[in-house]
Amino acid sequence: MSRYQTLEIAAQGPVLHIRLNRPDVRNAFNGVVVEELSAAFAAANTEPTARVVVLSGNGKSFSAGADLTWMQEQAGLPQEQNQRSAERMARMFLAIARCKKPVVARIHGHALGGGTGLTAAVDIALCSEDCLFGLTETKLGIVPAVISPFVMQKIGAGRARTLFLTGERFDGREAMRIGLVHRAVPEAELDATVQKAVDELLSAGPAAVASAKELIVAVDGLSLEDAIPVTSKWIAALRATPEAKEGFAAFLGKRKPGWMT
Ligand code: COA
């Protein structure tokens, strides 16, 4: 029996599927989801067979964001508990963004509020063209606070100024145009598009993929001059790893690297 009440987890070879499983409330997340999603991504870090994580939602929509019944309950808690609960929610997004395995999201239906936040937290977000996104929080009298750093990393402060303030909804095509998602495709092509991204990731060296994720965090915000000691050290170390030796030897020997066989 699954140890999770709100998630469905399935391993398919090297791919770990994490599915939000509260379809009756369009996968809105409450405290249990926050706890379980954080735990599932922590477990993915140490799961030796998992090389890629795919996050998706069961039912009509990917996620309707924070569960508003739960949000109402949290508001009624003593200030310190309310604050701690909000921090756990923020750390759930961080657990996804910092997962040691690459994270692909399959987004359909709606991804509103925190659903847009989940979209921003993953490495490769793929959605259906007609899927609806929105930083809808101001419509509810709140702000997209804990998700703001994740969303702004993807779309920038300029676009956030319009989308955070208006709370307007926008479709998958627009989400791709502004850099929130990597690709928006007709819904019938969504599974194949996810599979293609998974295959691309599986054809890359697993340690190199993990290192690439860390590199982006390390280099982000550095000046071109300040980046040089960091990036030169990085490639010097990486090109001497067993994985790089195998990658070079496979290319030069006109064969597939060991991680692909
Ligand atoms: N929190 C709690 N419950 C939610 C929810 C949320 N974020 N989003 C949806 N639900 C519930 C609805 O209240 C409804 O419950 P009911 O069956 O008891 O009436 C059920 O989920 C289905 O929602 P419904 O609106 O009927 O489904 P839909 O498919 O027509 O529309 C959405 C889906 C996502 C467009 C719509 O539910 C919505 O706009 N939700 C709010 C999204 C939002 O603004 N999130 C930001 C949170 S900060």
Side-chain angles (χ1 to χ4, degrees):
M1 218 182 84
S2 168
R3 54 195 263 232
Y4 299 106
Q5 290 172 46
T6 63
L7 305 177
E8 226 178 57
I9 311 262
Q12 212 176 20
V15 184
L16 185 71
H17 291 272
I18 300 181
R19 300 189 185 98
L20 302 166
N21 194 27
R22 297 184 80 212
D24 293 350
V25 288
R26 307 297 179 256
N27 298 317
F29 54 81
N30 60 9
V32 182
V33 179
V34 166
E35 196 183 303
E36 294 192 343
L37 211 47
S38 304
F41 275 91
N45 284 337
T46 55
E47 172 50 59
T49 57
R51 285 183 53 195
V52 178
V53 180
V54 176
L55 177 66
S56 62
N58 284 342
K60 275 176 73 174
S61 282
F62 174 68
S63 173
D67 182 317
L68 295 168
T69 309
W70 172 71
M71 289 286 270
Q72 218 173 26
E73 286 162 12
Q74 304 311 290
L77 292 174
Q79 199 274 333
E80 207 179 303
Q81 273 172 269
N82 180 3
Q83 163 68 30
R84 272 206 300 273
S85 148
E87 189 172 327
R88 282 195 293 274
M89 174 167 62
R91 289 194 178 282
M92 170 185 79
F93 291 98
L94 188 64
I96 297 170
R98 292 285 185 268
C99 180
K100 294 188 192 307
K101 312 293 167 73
V103 184
V104 178
R106 180 200 186 281
I107 301 151
H108 74 292
H110 291 88
L112 299 176
T116 296
L118 292 172
T119 304
V122 305
D123 298 307
I124 305 177
L126 304 166
C127 73
S128 58
E129 290 170 340
D130 298 333
C131 174
L132 287 177
F133 296 89
L135 285 317
T136 50
E137 284 84 348
T138 53
K139 305 284 197 207
L140 299 158
I142 55 172
V143 292
V146 304
I147 62 173
S148 60
F150 302 91
V151 176
M152 284 166 64
Q153 268 194 355
K154 292 264 170 97
I155 70 170
R159 290 185 175 114
R161 287 174 76 167
T162 300
L163 298 175
F164 285 15
L165 272 55
T166 63
E168 70 195 56
R169 295 180 185 201
F170 52 95
D171 69 12
R173 296 175 196 84
E174 176 71 355
M176 182 167 78
R177 198 187 68 76
I178 65 175
L180 176 66
V181 303
H182 186 57
R183 204 149 277 152
V185 297
E187 181 137 15
E189 293 169 25
L190 188 52
D191 286 325
T193 304
V194 169
Q195 189 57 49
K196 186 169 183 304
V198 167
D199 291 343
E200 291 286 0
L201 289 164
L202 292 176
S203 69
V209 171
S211 183
K213 213 169 153 168
E214 288 171 11
L215 175 71
I216 292 160
V217 176
V219 166
D220 197 26
L222 292 184
S223 72
L224 297 180
E225 288 77 10
D226 290 347
I228 287 175
V230 176
T231 58
S232 55
K233 216 167 135 186
W234 209 290
I235 191 59
L238 258 287
R239 65 189 174 193
T241 60
E243 193 175 276
K245 283 181 189 147
E246 169 63 8
F248 297 160
F251 178 80
L252 297 171
K254 302 190 189 309
R255 63 169 173 83
K256 282 189 175 174
W259 60 78
M260 281 186 73
T261 51

